[in-house]
């Protein structure tokens, strides 16, 4: 409710939410589903850009070797323009893949769980700053079959 304005109709968001719940219900849980849903949700309501340009040089950071996202403001900087404390280039590549690829095609790709978890952390930080509430996806990860098998 905090993300969507009252009185607005978002059929795409409803369909996305329904697909998310059906995927969870069907037992097809992979850690990717959570950041996939959040990224698509943010894109659907206009809070997520498909472009990842450095805020200083304005070049596409996907053409660079390193880049970082400020998880509170969602500003992106490349490693050529600023010294980075943490390189998020793999997470940015995952965001781009999520935007461009259907879940059923993406879920079977070999994406390291560490990148999926960091992507989810970035999304949670941004959403917490935007709506003032924390997401508890860590609890879902902990209870998943992935965690029980020691993969997370």
């Amino acid at each position: 409710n905090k993300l969507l304005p009252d009185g607005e109709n978002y059929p795409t968001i409803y369909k996305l939410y329904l697909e998310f719940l059906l995927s969870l219900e069907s037992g097809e849980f992979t850690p990717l589903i959570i950041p996939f849903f959040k990224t698509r949700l943010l894109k659907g309501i206009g809070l997520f850009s498909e472009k990842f340009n450095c805020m200083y040089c304005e070049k596409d950071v996907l053409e660079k070797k390193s880049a970082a996202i400020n998880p509170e403001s969602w500003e992106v900087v490349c490693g050529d323009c600023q010294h980075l404390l943490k390189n998020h280039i793999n997470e940015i590549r995952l965001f781009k893949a999520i935007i461009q690829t259907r879940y059923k095609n993406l879920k079977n790709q070999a994406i390291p769980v560490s990148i999926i978890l960091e992507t989810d952390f970035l999304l949670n930080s941004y959403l917490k700053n935007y709506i003032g509430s924390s997401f508890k996806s860590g609890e879902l990860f902990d209870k998943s079959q992935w965690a029980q098998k020691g993969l997370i």
Side-chain angles (χ1 to χ4, degrees):
N1 283 343
K2 293 181 182 182
L3 280 175
L4 303 174
D6 288 337
E8 298 282 333
N9 189 6
Y10 287 93
T12 307
I13 301 303
Y14 172 77
K15 182 180 176 194
L16 175 67
Y17 185 58
L18 181 61
E19 288 176 10
F20 172 73
L21 293 175
L22 291 173
S23 292
L24 289 176
E25 179 69 23
S26 71
E28 295 180 19
F29 177 85
T30 68
L32 180 63
I33 194 167
I34 296 171
F36 186 93
F37 172 74
K38 290 176 191 173
T39 301
R40 288 286 184 100
L41 173 67
L42 289 170
K43 183 182 178 300
I45 60 175
L47 295 176
F48 198 98
S49 174
E50 292 185 33
K51 296 182 180 184
F52 296 94
N53 295 334
C54 175
M55 64 180 279
Y56 296 113
C57 67
E58 299 181 3
K59 292 183 181 172
D60 184 354
V61 299
L62 292 168
E63 298 172 3
K64 307 283 185 165
K65 292 181 181 178
S66 62
I69 297 175
N70 178 328
E72 293 179 3
S73 65
W74 217 247
E75 293 172 334
V76 179
V77 295
C78 72
D80 295 342
C81 292
Q82 188 172 2
H83 173 73
L84 307 176
L85 297 176
K86 192 163 193 178
N87 186 4
H88 293 132
I89 196 67
N90 290 323
E91 290 78 11
I92 295 169
R93 288 183 181 126
L94 180 55
F95 285 130
K96 189 70 168 184
I98 288 171
I99 291 168
Q100 294 178 336
T101 310
R102 295 184 61 152
Y103 176 72
K104 70 178 186 174
N105 297 331
L106 194 58
K107 73 177 181 176
N108 295 320
Q109 292 186 17
I111 303 166
V113 174
S114 60
I115 293 172
I116 294 170
L117 294 175
E118 182 66 21
T119 301
D120 190 61
F121 172 79
L122 290 168
L123 289 162
N124 285 346
S125 298
Y126 178 62
L127 286 165
K128 182 177 182 180
N129 188 55
Y130 185 77
I131 64 173
S133 295
S134 296
F135 282 76
K136 300 189 187 218
S137 52
E139 292 176 12
L140 186 56
F141 286 134
D142 291 342
K143 293 177 183 175
S144 73
Q145 64 186 358
W146 288 74
Q148 293 169 3
K149 292 178 183 176
L151 299 172
I152 296 181

